[in-house]
Amino acid sequence: MSGAARAETRFQGAGVSPGIARGKVHVVRDDLDDVARYRIERSQIAHEIGRFEAALIQTRVQILEMQQKIAHSIGAKDASIFDAHLLVVEDRTLIDEVLRKLETDLCNVEWVFQEVATKYVETLSKMDDPYLRERALDIQDVMKRVIHNLQGKAPKPFLALTEPHILIAHNLTPSDTATMQKERVLGIATDLGSRTSHTAILARSLNIPAVVGLHNATDILETGQEVLVDGTNGLIIVDPKPETLAYYGELESRRIRVVAKLKELRETKSTTRDGHHIVLSANIELPEDVNAVSEFGAEGIGLYRTEFLYLNRQTLPSEDEQYQTYRRVAESVAPNPLIIRTFDLGGDKLAPGTVEISDELNPFLGWRAIRFCLENIGIFKTQLRAILRASAVGNVKLMFPMISGADELRQAMSILHECRDELRAAGVTMGDAIECGAMIEIPSAAIAADILAHEVDFFSIGTNDLIQYAIAVDRVNERIAHLYEPTHPAVLRLLKMVADAAHTNGIWVGVCGEMAGDVALVPLLLGLGMDELSVAATLVPRVKRAVQSITIGESRELLERVLKLQTPSEVLARCLELANARYGDLLG
Ligand code: PEP
Ligand code: MG
């Protein structure tokens, strides 16, 4: 069909990674959309039943293998969650219904099985009883496996694009995003998601324009359509008109000019106009992101999200593999610091196959990060030993995520000391003293920061989580994304408590959540007294320009004024006023 005949259409979402991309769409649909339906002869029924039985046996073997692996690596209790999956492949009612329907419908068995299993899933997921609703998820999981086996598909890697495309999906998990072929992804757009979802964070790190929260774009768009992604303003434009292309061409040239100017700041220091140095570091997710750290002029790494090492694999990373990775990253940023955050799996970052965290009703309030580590000390110690060994080269610091109080922090520190003593006794070389920090991302930790400050050398505030917990807004739920407000007076008060508690107790404090990369809020964070800001490497030049354009004096005045205000929008308006006056060109 000719593109000229089509009218331009627009979808509005939230822009989460700036920039413009143009190209053909590749719509990623759930694999099960691919299940073909075709008629069979009555004489073929026996053959279809044979295929079905073989697929059920194969599925059973796969589940048992997975169960054994988990029992071995994590524990029998966690492995028992697969008992429910085994029951599904043995469920006589379900199997008999498939056999009956094969006789009546005379269709291929994967289609018939999908029809029957989907009916079960729909019925069970409407039940009041949470146990029965859970069974719906079990059936869904097993259904995918059985159909994959019927189709002769191995659990396949996420997506193999043969040429550059704009990727459009209902949802992309952080593991999908981490494994996609980045050089073939021009832009990303998803129905779900929000600014602080880890998929958005990754897109920013990879410098790929991205729009999330489009609600139903995947229902409407077709693979092959021409689209333009405006990651700054959160727009997807389908079949853009020549005028639109001209407008965006102009915008992109302007953006490229601003980026080129910002590049000139690479070797300069992030020092305010009145001479205060603010440490400006980069956040990384994957070891290869390290090249961007010096390219964009960051002073080291303020947050290395090590959980990405555990995703998309069949076995846990060994101590040696982790050591080699951390060591390489530490060496490439030395003498600047590398702050390694111990792995934070759970929430929206799941690693099925290695770290099994069963489905939870509220995963962000669940078995996540340090909570998992303190119950899986073997896995935790492997990582801590690798970090301690890497501290022999470079300037390695370590921090613990999701600390909620002193007990947890003390336990984590005591396990760390145990690892250090064991390594020392074995004659392994380590750095003299490794600086240790706590991430402050749970309101209880912020409120009790004066207690926690005695236990560590620094605080790093994870505003992505701190804001979601403080306002009770799920950070990945686009329905309530408008309530996720970093300038909420309650958030400001929490940030102030943490900064004041750190300084009263003589330790330094930084912010490594996405709030630190919002140039409009930089003066506010400086006014609060933050010593360090850690942001996606690609945002470092912008934040540096913001720091260099203001004084600590005016930042403090701004803070004093906004602390008297009552609503997030009033606070934001004041921040924008100052930002506009000092570096308005960065805000567009
Ligand atoms: C945060 O919560 O702000 C943070 C930096 O950690 P993550 O985004 O990985 O949860
Ligand atoms: Mg966090």
Side-chain angles (χ1 to χ4, degrees), residues 6 24 59 83 110 154 178 203 226 255 301 308 348 353 363 470 500 508 537 568:
R6 299 176 110 148
K24 283 203 189 323
T59 306
D83 290 345
E110 42 277 77
E226 271 292 325
R255 204 182 71 89
I301 295 170
F308 282 87
D348 62 343
D500 291 351
W508 66 266

Side-chain angles (χ1 to χ4, degrees), residues 308-386:
F308 282 87
L309 256 180
Y310 295 69
L311 303 184
N312 303 307
R313 51 190 298 160
Q314 299 302 316
T315 52
L316 286 162
S318 66
E319 177 183 323
D320 221 52
E321 179 189 339
Q322 292 191 60
Y323 163 64
Q324 296 298 351
T325 309
Y326 303 151
R327 182 198 148 123
R328 266 199 315 277
V329 176
E331 275 172 347
S332 51
V333 295
N336 285 323
L338 159 64
I339 304 182
I340 301 181
R341 177 195 46 205
T342 60
F343 71 87
D344 176 4
L345 288 167
D348 62 343
K349 286 170 292 193
L350 296 173
T354 50
V355 174
E356 291 300 332
I357 297 175
S358 55
D359 284 345
E360 295 176 299
L361 222 46
N362 292 301
F364 276 111
L365 298 181
W367 206 37
R368 192 187 153 187
I370 200 71
R371 301 167 178 191
F372 175 90
C373 288
L374 294 179
E375 285 182 38
N376 289 278
I377 291 180
I379 302 176
F380 191 33
K381 281 179 86 172
T382 302
Q383 180 174 42
L384 293 176
R385 275 197 302 269

